Amino acid sequence: MPSIDVCYSPELLHLYDLKGKAVVAVDILRATSTMVTAFANGVADIIPVMKLEECLVYAEQGCLTAAERDGVKAEGFDLGNSPFAYMSESIKGRTIAITTTNGTRAIRMSEAAEEIVVGSFLNLQTVAEHLAELQLDVLVVCAGWKGKFNLEDTLYAGALAERLQSQFEFENDATLASLYLYHAAKSDMVSFLRQSSHVQRLENLEIHKDIEFCLQHNVFNVLPVWKHDRLVDLNAKHSLV
Ligand code: 3SL
């Protein structure tokens, strides 16, 4: 039976052997929720990069560029990191190069894995079904915040563990803790997360509607997966679940 484990921060990745594993990279607020929304709205592919300068170079190749630092859209880029900015016709068929404070870092630091899947509550079931078919050991890599633990990514790990628990064994207590937290939170995640640090940070920036949007379950059946140097949607049709 394959296993599922949870890494609470990219800074802890040195403790894990990614070889032969499927990584689910997650940054619920908001990078991976935004990427899933972008694919659902017809983006062709997404190039996650770590640095602002690196991202800007892609403009010269005809890509749209997107950047966020500390919750705010960085100056000089086409887009920020709100999922609502990725619902326009103008992004259809485009390649987007994106850098965010933590989310794109979690993806790029997972490159040694056999497969990297981008997870969010928005495509939770689609990712769970894909992992069940894949039959690889799974590591959920939480983006956290600047190397530290966060609650919303942990809740996602718990939600995924709940869906996979009959077919995967739990590698250690990190998975169990995530599951227990998800059980405590799932009936009202918005309230559960009200005191959490990134929700507070986004609320202070008056970013309210993104929070509720990103906590919705199973809105899209997109399956963003790392191929060569970028993310593509393995479910070609982008149809709503
Ligand atoms: O940390 C990240 O990568 C971002 O998702 C943070 S924010 O939600 O855009 O503030």
Side-chain angles (χ1 to χ4, degrees):
M1 197 187 253
S3 66
I4 177 167
D5 199 354
V6 182
C7 172
Y8 287 137
S9 157
E11 304 309 315
L12 296 174
L13 270 171
H14 63 95
L15 300 174
Y16 299 84
D17 182 8
L18 300 188
K19 232 168 145 210
K21 290 206 168 96
V23 158
V24 182
V26 59
D27 183 1
I28 293 301
L29 298 173
R30 298 164 288 172
T32 58
S33 304
T34 293
M35 290 174 191
V36 165
T37 304
F39 278 119
N41 284 277
V43 158
D45 42 28
I46 294 178
I47 305 172
V49 299
M50 303 246 236
K51 294 194 175 139
L52 293 166
E53 314 82 74
E54 225 182 310
C55 191
L56 267 184
V57 171
Y58 283 96
E60 294 157 21
Q61 298 173 24
C63 302
L64 287 171
T65 59
E68 163 277 334
R69 286 295 180 268
D70 294 326
V72 178
K73 175 179 180 288
E75 237 176 90
F77 292 82
D78 301 310
L79 296 152
N81 194 27
S82 170
F84 290 97
Y86 295 77
M87 293 175 183
S88 122
E89 278 288 307
S90 62
I91 64 162
K92 262 208 166 101
R94 302 291 304 269
T95 296
I96 299 180
I98 182 169
T99 178
T100 69
T101 311
N102 307 284
T104 53
R105 196 174 148 71
I107 296 169
R108 295 307 298 252
M109 286 177 72
S110 300
E111 277 181 73
E114 176 79 23
E115 173 144 325
I116 306 173
V117 185
V118 166
S120 71
F121 286 112
L122 300 170
N123 67 339
L124 173 63
Q125 190 58 30
T126 305
V127 169
E129 284 167 14
H130 178 67
L131 296 171
E133 262 173 43
L134 214 52
Q135 288 291 301
L136 294 175
D137 289 340
V138 170
L139 180 67
V140 182
V141 176
C142 300
W145 184 262
K146 298 187 179 177
K148 295 181 181 159
F149 174 93
N150 81 21
L151 210 41
E152 64 274 14
D153 297 343
T154 309
L155 292 183
Y156 171 82
L160 194 61
E162 185 186 68
R163 275 145 188 87
L164 295 177
Q165 61 188 334
S166 62
Q167 303 157 72
F168 285 71
E169 62 190 11
F170 290 1
E171 182 81 21
N172 65 45
D173 288 357
T175 318
L176 208 51
S178 306
L179 181 66
Y180 291 162
L181 277 170
Y182 180 64
H183 283 163
K186 69 177 177 181
S187 63
D188 186 358
M189 293 221 303
V190 175
S191 303
F192 190 89
L193 287 170
R194 196 151 284 140
Q195 301 304 318
S196 69
S197 49
H198 199 47
V199 164
Q200 297 269 306
R201 203 174 287 118
L202 292 175
E203 296 279 12
N204 288 338
L205 292 167
E206 311 235 323
I207 300 168
H208 308 295
K209 61 181 184 167
D210 293 28
I211 299 165
E212 281 193 26
F213 179 83
C214 295
L215 297 179
Q216 298 175 100
H217 288 44
N218 303 322
V219 177
F220 305 122
N221 71 355
V222 301
L223 187 58
V225 165
W226 183 256
K227 291 283 172 208
H228 312 297
D229 62 346
R230 61 193 59 207
L231 297 165
V232 296
D233 177 12
L234 284 194
N235 285 357
K237 273 284 177 203
H238 323 293
S239 54
L240 297 179
V241 168

